[in-house]
Amino acid sequence: CSLRKGDMYRLPFDEHEFDTIILDDVLAQAEHPIRALLEARRLVKPGGRVLLLLSVDNRTTDELQQSLAQWSAAARLRLAPARIATQKNPRWMLAVATVAGSEAEAA
C-alpha cells in the first residue's frame, strides 16, 4: 500500500496503475467533481474501485447521495449504495464506485 498526493484533476501516473483510489472528502468542495472522478477512472485498473468518502456537514445525506450518483454517472462509474457512519462525529458517507462497462450501467 502506498499513499500518494497530487492534483486530483491531473495526476502524473499511467492509465490503470492502481487497484484502489481513495478520494477522501474532496468531491463535495471540488470545483469540478466530475473531472476528478474521470481522472480516478483513468487511473484505476479494470476490476479496481474508487472509494469516495464525504463528511456530512452542511448538506443532507440525500443531497450528497444524489450528487454522487450524478457525478458518477457522468464519469461512467457504477456507484454502489452509500453507507452512512452515524456513530462518528462528523458523520461520514462512504461509497464505492467501479468502472461501468457501458453508459447504461453507470451510476
Side-chain angles (χ1 to χ4, degrees):
C1 177
S2 64
L3 178 64
R4 301 176 189 185
K5 183 179 176 180
D7 178 349
M8 68 180 163
Y9 302 118
R10 207 175 25 233
L11 293 165
F13 306 112
D14 293 331
E15 290 185 12
H16 312 297
E17 190 168 334
F18 300 97
D19 296 310
T20 302
I21 294 174
I22 301 171
L23 295 176
D24 186 353
D25 206 24
V26 295
L27 284 182
Q29 292 80 29
E31 191 171 332
H32 305 286
I34 296 167
R35 280 183 44 207
L37 287 172
L38 285 169
E39 182 67 354
R41 184 182 193 280
R42 179 184 77 81
L43 296 174
V44 73
K45 290 179 181 178
R49 61 188 173 200
V50 180
L51 301 179
L52 307 167
L53 293 156
L54 297 108
S55 62
V56 179
D57 48 13
N58 60 353
R59 296 172 73 178
T60 68
T61 56
D62 288 339
E63 290 174 322
L64 284 174
Q65 287 177 331
Q66 184 176 26
S67 293
L68 277 177
Q70 290 171 347
W71 299 333
S72 296
R76 298 183 326 272
L77 291 170
R78 186 175 330 130
L79 186 67
R83 297 181 195 168
I84 306 296
T86 57
Q87 302 302 318
K88 304 282 184 184
N89 190 10
R91 292 174 38 209
W92 289 91
M93 178 181 292
L94 168 66
V96 178
T98 55
V99 175
S102 68
E103 285 189 35
E105 293 179 2

